[in-house]
Amino acid sequence: MANDTSRRRAELAKIHIAKKELNLDDGAYRTLLWTVAHVRSSKDLDQRGRRAVLDHLKSRGWKPKAKRAGKRPHNQEREPMLAKIEALLADQSLPWSYADALASHMYSVERVAWLRNPDHLRGVIAALDKRARREEAHDG
C-alpha cells in the first residue's frame, strides 16, 4: 500500500512538473486531463490515467529528468537516522560535537550532518549504541 501511495505521489509530481515545464495554463491543463483521462483534476487520476497523462505529456515534448543512480530523496533515509543520532546523544548527555568527532574519526568527514552514505550514518549510530551499552555495564 505504501508503495502504491509513493508511486502515486511521484507520478502526480511528475505531471505537475511537466505542466510547469511545458508552460501549460490551467485551462489547457484541465482540457488535457479531460481529453486524455476524463477527469477534471489530477487527484482523480487512477494509475492508468496517470500513465496516460504522462505519456501524452512526453508526446508533447516533455522530457523527465533522468534519475541519479543511487541517489535517495533527501529525507527518506537520512533524516530518521539523524534523529536517531540526536536521540542517542541526548540519552547520553553528549553534544553534537561528539557525533561530529565520530564522523571525523570513522569517515574523515568533519560533521555528521555531512555524511551522505547511509552506511556511514548507521556506523555512527552503532558507535553511539556501543558506547551506551558500555556505560550501562560500567554503571550497572
Side-chain angles (χ1 to χ4, degrees):
M1 175 93 178
N3 196 17
D4 290 340
T5 301
S6 61
R7 178 182 298 133
R8 179 181 183 275
R9 286 182 183 156
E11 289 171 347
L12 289 174
K14 286 178 185 178
I15 289 169
H16 289 282
I17 289 167
K19 173 189 171 194
K20 182 178 180 182
E21 289 180 0
L22 291 173
N23 296 316
L24 295 176
D25 64 32
D26 196 57
Y29 172 68
R30 298 217 180 266
T31 299
L32 177 151
L33 289 176
W34 183 254
T35 303
V36 173
H38 300 292
V39 297
R40 301 215 181 271
S41 172
S42 62
K43 71 179 180 178
D44 298 326
L45 289 167
D46 60 10
Q47 185 176 5
R48 182 177 291 164
R50 291 188 305 270
R51 178 65 17 224
V53 169
L54 284 168
D55 289 344
H56 180 80
L57 291 165
K58 288 175 189 173
S59 76
R60 296 294 180 229
W62 179 66
K63 291 183 172 46
K65 304 276 190 280
K67 289 183 182 179
R68 290 194 270 181
K71 184 75 173 168
R72 289 193 169 96
H74 173 69
N75 62 352
Q76 185 178 31
E77 195 166 359
R78 286 187 75 248
E79 297 303 320
M81 286 192 280
L82 287 171
K84 174 73 171 177
I85 291 169
E86 183 176 26
L88 288 167
L89 291 170
D91 287 347
Q92 298 176 61
S93 300
L94 296 170
W96 271 100
S97 59
Y98 188 89
D100 291 338
L102 287 173
S104 178
H105 176 74
M106 295 169 71
Y107 305 110
S108 301
V109 174
E110 191 175 332
R111 300 202 184 271
V112 73
W114 295 350
L115 292 173
R116 294 290 174 239
N117 185 329
D119 290 334
H120 293 176
L121 289 166
R122 286 186 199 94
V124 171
I125 290 169
L128 289 168
D129 277 336
K130 184 176 179 180
R131 183 188 186 281
R133 286 193 307 274
R134 195 171 51 240
E135 290 296 316
E136 284 176 18
H138 182 263
D139 292 342

